[in-house]
Every structure is written in C-alpha cells, then in structure tokens.
Amino acid sequence: MTSRRRPKDAPVRAHTSGQAPALESLAHATILMVDDDPVMLEAVRLFLEDVGYGSFVTTTDPGRTLSLIAEHEPDVVLLDLKMPGMSGFDVLAAMRTSEGSRFLPVIVLSADSESSARLQALELGATDFLMKPVDPSELQLRVRNTLAFKAYQDRLADYDPLSGLRNRRRFESDLRGTLAELTDPAGGCALLHVDLDRFKHVNDTLGYRTGDRLLKATARRVEQIAHDVESGLISTVGETDARVTVAHIAGNGFAVLVSAMRDPDNAERIARAILKAFSVPFQIENHQLFVSASVGVSLFPVDAQDADALLKHAEMAMYQAKNRGRNTHEFFSQEFNARAGERLLLETELRRAIERNELVVHYQPKVSVVTGRVLGAEALIRWNHPQRGMVSPAQFIPIAEETGLIVEIGRWVLGQACRQLRRWQDAGLPPVTLSVNVSPAQFSRSAILKDLKQLLASTRVDPKHLVLEVTEGLVMADIDEAVTLLKAIRSMGVRLSIDDFGTGYSSLAYLRRLPIDEIKIDRSFVKGLPEEKDSLAIVRAVTAMGHALGLKVVAEGVETHPQLEVLRAAKCDEFQGYYCSRPVPAQDFAPLLDRRGARPRPNLYTLDETRPAPSRV
Ligand code: C2E
Ligand code: MG
Ligand code: MG
C-alpha cells in the first residue's frame, strides 16, 4: 500500500542560506490516493510516476484516510467520490474539520459529470476536480499546479516574504528540533540575536521602501556570515562542523543559530564578524547608509536549557548591548538577568504602590542662610514598601520615568503637597513655600497646566507658595518649548526653580532666557566645601551670577557648620541639608515652623529614614 517515500522534511536542511526551498522539489511530494477501485489506483500511480513522482500512499478504504494523513503527512490527496460505505463527500467533510488536514489540497476524481456533484465537492473544500476516465496529461497538470500552490503557501507560512529568510515560527520549530537532536553531551549551540541599530530612524527619514531594502540587504549580509562560518572562512577553532541557520525573527531582528558549537570564543568571533560586516556602508538607491548592529549571544546549555529561554536570553543580551551604546555584542549573563528581573519586579510593585497607599511625602526644610529661619520645604517622595522598607527615590524614580508611571506619581505628589500647604495654613502656621520636583515626562504633556489649575482651585493654595523644581535636562531638550510652558506656569503665579544646577549643561546664555525664580546649587559642589578650591569658586560664581539675574540661590546638601559659613560669605540665600534637618514626615515638620523661627542646629533631626513613616498630620 505504501511505496517509496522520502523521510519527511529531508530536503529542507536547516543550514546556510536559510532561504525558502525552490519549487523544483515538487517531485519529492507525497501523494495519497483514496479509491475503492484498485485498477484505478494503479493507473493513476503509473501516470504520475511517468513524470517523476515517487512517493505514494494508496488505500481502497476511505475510512482510513484521516489516519493515513496523520501517519504519512501527504502533500496532496486524490479522492474518488463514489465509494461504498463512505463517499468522497464524507471524507472531505471529515478532513476539513480535522486539525491536521484542514488545509490539505484535495483533487476530487469522479465519473459523475453532473455539475451539482462538482459544486458540492468544491463547497466542501475540494481544491480541484478531475473527470474519470482520467486523461494522463490533465492529471499531471492538475497535480503539479496544486502542489506548486501548496509549496507557495507553505513558504508563506515559514518564510519571511521580504527577506526570504525563515520566519520566527519556523525558526523556533527548527531550534527545538536542533536542541532535541543534541544527544552528544559535549554538544552545544550559540544563538546570536542581531538587531539593526536605529532602524526606526531610517524608516522615519527615508521611508519604508528604503527601510525594506535595508532589511533585505541586511539579510544577505547575515547569510554571508553564515556561509563564511560553514565554509571555514570565519574560523571556529576546533568546531569545524558548525552548522548555521539564519532567520528573520522580528521587524529589524535576525537570529543566527550556530549548532555543534559550544566554545564562547567561537561565538564571539562570529559576533565580531557580524559587527564588522556592518562597518561597510549599505548602498540603497542613492543613499549611502551607515548602519550598525547590536548582537546578543546566549549559549546552550550553559545559559538556557530550552529554545524559549535561549531566544529570550539572546534578546536580553542584545538589549544590554544597545544599552552599552550599540554597535557592540554582549553575552547573556545571569547577573544581568537577575538585575533585570529585580527591576521588573520593582516596576510591577510600583504600579500598585499608589493604590496601596505605600507612597508618602517627606519634607525637608529650606532655611535662610542669614537668619536661620525655616522659610519653606521641599517635598521628597518616599516609598514605604511592605517588605523592603523605605525605598529611596533614587532607586525608583528612574524606573517610574522609564515606564511613564512618573506622570501619575508626579500628579499624586503635587496633590499631596498642595493639600499639605493648605493644612499648615489652616493650622495657623507661618506661611511657607513648598517645592515639588517635576520630571520632564510630566511636562511633555501640558496636562500639568490643567492639573495645577485644578489643584490650586480645589485647595485654595496661594500659587506663590508653590515652587516647581525642574532640571536642566528638561530645558535643554527643547528650549523654545520649555520656555513657552514655563512661562504659562509662571503666569499662574507658581514659581520655578532649576534643580541640581551645575550638573547639566548650565550656561549663562540659556539661563537668561528662562522665566525662573531660583537656582539650586547641586549637593556635589557643597560637599567639598570649604577645602576644595574648585567647588568654592563654583559656589561663589554661581551665587553671583544668580543674583545678577535676579534669582534666589539655594544650596543643597549642607551638612556642616563650615559649609554654612562659606555659603554665608558667598551671600547664598537659602540652604537645605542634614545640618538643619533630614527630610521628615509632615507632622515632624510643623514644630520647625514656630513663629520665632527655627535656628539651624546640628543634627536637630537624626530620624532614621528606614523606619516606617508615622501617619500624616
Ligand atoms: P533632589 O531634588 O536634588 O533632592 C535632594 C536630595 O538630597 C534628596 O534626596 C535629599 O534627601 C538629599 N539631601 C538633602 N540634604 C542632604 C544632605 O545634607 N546630605 C545628603 N547626603 N543628602 C541630602 P532624596 O530624597 O533621596 O531624593 C533624590 C532625588 O529623587 C531628588 O533629588 C529628586 O530628583 C528625586 N525625587 C524625590 N522626590 C521626587 C518627586 O516627588 N518627583 C520627582 N520627579 N522626583 C523626585
Ligand atoms: Mg529637588
Ligand atoms: Mg537637587
């Protein structure tokens, strides 16, 4: 019943070019024939053998069709319509509802010239229809066309139409197969994830057509590397039978699987060769494009024990290479993985922190350098994590900024600050200004204007008591846009301060253009006072410059009396720092604000910031 068959999938070797198989392999197709007439089966088989087909599965029992399909995975079925027990219609209907044969092409053969039979067969999902007695050349033509169409469909399912390389789905299944076959305990694989750098930029500036051509050209370069490895042009010392599979697994991402290789030095050699291949510019239409790539490498079995993990780890290593400045390669590392995992966890928990009331605001006094009176406070966020204790904003603000959570968190801090100002005023405390840190992301949506208006109205806080601290980075990103927005905020009566002054791109030229009220000298310049000459010069110059522009000058991070003395001599206006007080919960701040004014005293507060915050005022 079953005659010569090729082993399934034999011609589709998983190496080098990675390109889709050509249609010439049609003669390898397996043909299943279902007909109750054995003479007919034999005739059809002879006709097809004449033109080179060699793999047949035949049966006179239509009831066995589905099991034969499952067993032999034919490429096409030739199906008689009139059979005792089970008609061809029944077989077709069963095939189309079964997962393994839903899309398998079926050519129906029938002596019935009625067009209704033909229609019914087509409706049930027959691919084509042939009249009996069968004309040999007609049969050969129909079978060939049907197989060609199937090959085309298979190719679409497995290969990327743009680059011609295996797609992700096919690559994953090949990868699983390769890993399963690795029986040699010394055997291993290296997976390289190659990602074009700044591809989006090419698409955005030169258009998708150019982007597509760049991807095609990239595919050819990566293929060439694969070829060079297999042919020994790129030496893989001691691992001469390395086999390379290339795939196009994401928009601008390619995968290179080197099997029968486990020496990381060889993987590194290949990674370097890939990067080198990109050092030659691409000539696309009339553009000369200099495009680099980032490569992440993961090794089987050391970095991962299955296909999914191997792919994931190579991708993570690729992102790490991007973080390191692109145009480089990076091996996967467990340590990096652990850090990334920790970050992810923190991000998830941070999302819930607001709802769970885990965020609190502490207040650090801003003190007059001359009188020692507390004139205001800076609102500084704290995360009172149920397990980790107090998490420093230095740890979670960058995550909040990267994920966009900062917008929501920032709005919450602003609300808390305004409500706190209201409470202090209602309690009859002397008026203070309250400074709130604002991240660039909060500005990029001018929603902050609306938020401010609403908050000021609902809390009836005098806008001049509110100060927004922004960083130089925000201003430098787009100075015209920043100036417009800052002016709008200032026109509401809210004041503006440049935080961490001196750490960014500070220049007098832009400072003059900004509608601001205050600059804060960064803690790093105060730290070395009074000994460090450079810091001393900077603090003096910045204070003088600020005053010349009519700005208030505040020094951050004052911890000692000599530091305060230097600031006094430089005529700095205000200071913040542990010398007066650490940031404290709201209720601990109120006593600092007594009518006579608080005097800076060393270690007035030695509050342990890691203890859970007491409830608010
Ligand atoms: P920043 O705005 O420059 O805040 C000053 C930082 O210096 C605070 O750190 C404060 O606790 C610390 N500090 C004050 N005096 C001293 C001192 O004498 N010695 C030392 N060693 N440190 C002192 P903190 O609270 O850890 O905040 C770090 C940064 O996180 C802030 O720097 C600010 O950029 C950011 N941040 C804090 N809260 C918020 C917020 O609500 N929104 C945004 N967007 N960022 C915030
Ligand atoms: Mg600040
Ligand atoms: Mg600062």
Side-chain angles (χ1 to χ4, degrees), residues 409-427:
I409 291 176
R411 186 182 292 141
W412 179 82
V413 174
L414 206 56
Q416 290 296 102
C418 287
R419 284 187 283 277
Q420 192 56 59
L421 262 180
R422 179 78 258 154
R423 277 186 218 119
W424 284 332
Q425 278 179 22
D426 290 349

Side-chain angles (χ1 to χ4, degrees), residues 384-571:
N384 190 4
H385 190 284
Q387 284 90 40
R388 298 169 200 254
M390 280 292 179
V391 186
S392 151
Q395 230 180 316
F396 69 85
I397 292 283
I399 297 176
E401 286 180 330
E402 272 170 40
T403 53
L405 274 173
I406 191 66
V407 175
E408 199 183 334
I409 291 176
R411 186 182 292 141
W412 179 82
V413 174
L414 206 56
Q416 290 296 102
C418 287
R419 284 187 283 277
Q420 192 56 59
L421 262 180
R422 179 78 258 154
R423 277 186 218 119
W424 284 332
Q425 278 179 22
D426 290 349
L429 296 172
V432 282
T433 60
L434 192 48
S435 303
V436 178
N437 294 283
V438 182
S439 284
Q442 290 173 263
F443 277 100
S444 60
R445 314 178 190 188
S446 28
I448 192 161
L449 287 175
K450 212 175 93 200
D451 288 352
L452 271 175
K453 237 179 234 142
Q454 269 175 4
L455 272 172
L456 290 171
S458 66
T459 55
R460 290 168 292 110
V461 159
D462 185 346
K464 73 169 189 286
H465 290 143
L466 188 63
V467 182
L468 299 190
E469 292 189 6
V470 301
T471 53
E472 294 163 272
L474 163 89
V475 178
M476 290 313 290
D478 184 340
I479 186 152
D480 293 328
E481 206 183 305
V483 166
T484 311
L485 193 57
L486 294 181
K487 275 189 177 154
I489 292 174
R490 205 153 172 255
S491 70
M492 298 168 68
V494 174
R495 301 186 185 199
L496 293 165
S497 170
I498 298 286
D499 202 356
D500 305 339
F501 189 79
T503 55
Y505 316 82
S506 338
S507 96
L508 245 186
Y510 91 80
L511 206 57
R512 278 175 54 192
R513 292 186 51 194
L514 296 178
I516 53 168
D517 304 275
E518 177 188 280
I519 45 179
K520 295 182 80 173
I521 301 175
D522 190 65
R523 183 156 58 93
S524 56
F525 302 110
V526 175
K527 208 170 160 219
L529 296 180
E531 294 82 11
E532 265 176 33
K533 293 264 175 308
D534 286 355
S535 298
L536 193 62
I538 289 170
V539 167
R540 282 179 180 154
V542 170
T543 309
M545 182 185 81
H547 286 162
L549 292 170
L551 305 174
K552 187 198 282 180
V553 181
V554 182
E556 297 181 312
V558 177
E559 296 185 356
T560 68
H561 189 71
Q563 287 173 340
L564 184 61
E565 284 309 311
V566 171
L567 296 171
R568 207 191 301 274
K571 300 214 160 27

